[in-house]
Amino acid sequence: MKRKILFIISIFFLFGDLLYSQSNSKTFEGASVFIKYYDRTMYYPGDADSNPVFVHISIKNNSPETLRFKLADDRMFSVDFNAYTLKNTKLEQTERLIRKRTTNQTVYFREIALETGEEYSFVENLKDYVDIPEPSIYYIELKLYPELYKSKYIELTSNRLTMEVRPSPSAASSTVLPVKAKTAELLKPEEISPDKVVEQTIIARQKSLWDQYFLYMDIEAMLLRTSSAKRKFSQVSADDKIRMLEQYKTDLMDSKIDGDIVAIPEKFQIEQTVYTQTKGSVTVTEWFKYPNFHEKKKYVYKVRQREGIWQIYDYTVTNLGTE
């Protein structure tokens, strides 16, 4: 009899939780979560302090009503990062995160109120949440718990980011890190316009500055422009994918493939730039010097924006004759 009463009580609690979850989830239908890299740089395996991965998190109210949610002082009780390999295997959480959530403690929080169109942003270190065991390409996303982690049946999921983790310099002495000339500062892409991206890329090629040349280029997308490369890339391991990308860059530098994209113009002129919030194209006239004439070509560089950075992912070339 006692067991039956306990069973009935547990059923009531279960249905109560479900009803509460459904009613509250409707409250957050107008909320969205967006993530991007806060200060994008070169990422390597390692602990959170020596090589952090800072991610900028924004919560926006898209509804006509005031949005209210709880945000813990310790963000580990408000958000989760999920990271996946190319084979869609989920990476493990850090011991620090697990220990903190399984320890009995008081969670301090404040309630945030956002009016229509307003945003609230903060920055977190991905490596505080997820163990990055080895060099590879990963996909990351964030889950926000607007009623805190203990009420995680209510959650909001962000967009996905692609993260390339490179071998540690100490573990791969042959790796040359892209640095600015005459300084020890690592090169980092900046949030510049599509025409500036193309302009800097062409100038880098004129000066044979390969690290700067590849800085705004989506190497994976460029490699997968052919169906044969796309088919092979989909069939190999994560490590082999990284090797294919590095080999593609090497072949470009040796002018073994895609000769048009690595050809060095004597001069160029940007004719037209057209773009939306996420995609665009930059049309450029380029002149190539030969002993007795100049060859004139029209390049159309296709660009798209990822995490605030414009990248070249495709191109076309049209011959315009000689001068």
Side-chain angles (χ1 to χ4, degrees):
M1 185 68 180
K2 199 172 183 179
R3 287 184 179 179
K4 188 178 288 187
I5 292 171
L6 289 172
F7 177 73
I8 292 170
I9 291 172
S10 64
I11 290 295
F12 276 119
F13 272 114
L14 177 62
F15 276 108
D17 280 348
L18 287 172
L19 290 173
Y20 178 78
S21 170
Q22 289 174 357
S23 63
N24 274 272
S25 61
K26 291 180 180 179
T27 305
F28 302 105
E29 283 181 354
S32 62
V33 182
F34 181 80
I35 59 174
K36 65 179 181 179
Y37 292 109
Y38 175 69
D39 188 13
R40 190 162 193 173
T41 182
M42 313 292 287
Y43 300 128
Y44 309 101
D47 59 55
D49 296 325
S50 64
N51 185 238
V53 181
F54 290 120
V55 177
H56 184 272
I57 303 160
S58 295
I59 303 126
K60 184 176 182 180
N61 181 13
N62 302 303
S63 73
E65 306 294 332
T66 301
L67 173 69
R68 289 183 170 83
F69 62 94
K70 297 172 183 175
L71 188 67
D73 293 346
D74 185 338
R75 304 289 193 250
M76 286 187 173
F77 293 98
S78 280
V79 300
D80 252 333
F81 281 99
N82 293 327
Y84 301 90
T85 66
L86 292 170
K87 294 181 179 179
N88 208 35
T89 302
K90 188 176 177 180
L91 296 186
E92 298 290 332
Q93 294 179 323
T94 61
E95 288 186 14
R96 180 187 173 198
L97 177 64
I98 296 170
R99 185 170 59 252
K100 187 170 287 191
R101 287 179 175 173
T102 53
T103 302
N104 190 18
Q105 61 180 296
T106 302
V107 177
Y108 296 96
F109 67 90
R110 54 181 171 146
E111 187 175 81
I112 307 292
L114 297 179
E115 300 301 328
T116 303
E118 287 185 340
E119 293 185 21
Y120 184 87
S121 301
F122 55 94
V123 175
E124 285 294 290
N125 185 354
L126 168 71
K127 286 189 176 180
D128 285 333
Y129 295 79
V130 179
D131 276 325
I132 310 295
E134 59 186 6
S136 187
I137 295 171
Y138 300 99
Y139 301 108
I140 64 173
E141 66 183 14
L142 176 131
K143 290 189 181 295
L144 171 74
Y145 306 119
E147 292 292 330
L148 305 183
Y149 176 74
K150 289 184 178 179
S151 301
K152 63 179 181 177
Y153 43 77
I154 304 172
E155 62 182 36
L156 300 173
T157 305
S158 75
N159 55 304
R160 277 196 170 191
L161 301 180
T162 302
M163 178 175 64
E164 181 183 353
V165 178
R166 301 193 175 194
S168 298
S170 58
S173 58
S174 61
T175 301
V176 178
L177 301 181
V179 296
K180 291 182 180 179
K182 300 181 181 179
T183 76
E185 184 182 353
L186 288 174
L187 279 175
K188 293 185 292 186
E190 299 175 353
E191 295 185 11
I192 57 178
S193 61
D195 56 323
K196 287 295 181 184
V197 163
V198 171
E199 179 183 51
Q200 288 195 21
T201 301
I202 296 174
I203 291 173
R205 182 66 192 100
Q206 287 177 323
K207 297 180 178 180
S208 296
L209 300 173
W210 287 108
D211 292 327
Q212 293 183 29
Y213 175 76
F214 290 126
L215 192 61
Y216 294 100
M217 192 173 291
D218 186 336
I219 296 299
E220 181 175 329
M222 294 291 286
L223 168 65
L224 301 183
R225 291 171 69 245
T226 65
S227 57
S228 58
K230 191 178 297 184
R231 185 168 55 252
K232 182 179 179 182
F233 195 79
S234 66
Q235 295 172 349
V236 300
S237 67
D239 289 341
D240 286 336
K241 283 181 168 66
I242 293 176
R243 279 190 282 271
M244 281 184 67
L245 293 172
E246 290 302 320
Q247 186 60 52
Y248 177 72
K249 289 167 68 174
T250 300
D251 289 343
L252 282 178
M253 289 188 283
D254 292 339
S255 299
K256 292 181 179 179
I257 54 174
D258 292 350
D260 284 321
I261 195 66
V262 292
I264 304 175
E266 182 185 41
K267 61 179 181 177
F268 67 93
Q269 180 175 313
I270 295 178
E271 307 288 353
Q272 185 181 46
T273 303
V274 180
Y275 61 97
T276 63
Q277 287 187 336
T278 56
K279 282 194 173 184
S281 64
V282 181
T283 303
V284 184
T285 301
E286 301 183 25
W287 287 265
F288 299 88
K289 186 177 180 180
Y290 291 89
N292 300 317
F293 63 92
H294 281 86
E295 189 175 29
K296 187 178 178 183
K297 295 184 179 182
K298 180 179 79 172
Y299 280 71
V300 179
Y301 297 90
K302 296 181 181 179
V303 294
R304 61 187 173 199
Q305 190 186 75
R306 287 183 172 177
E307 298 99 53
I309 304 298
W310 287 97
Q311 292 181 309
I312 299 168
Y313 72 94
D314 198 358
Y315 71 99
T316 60
V317 184
T318 304
N319 289 322
L320 299 179
T322 58
E323 294 181 350

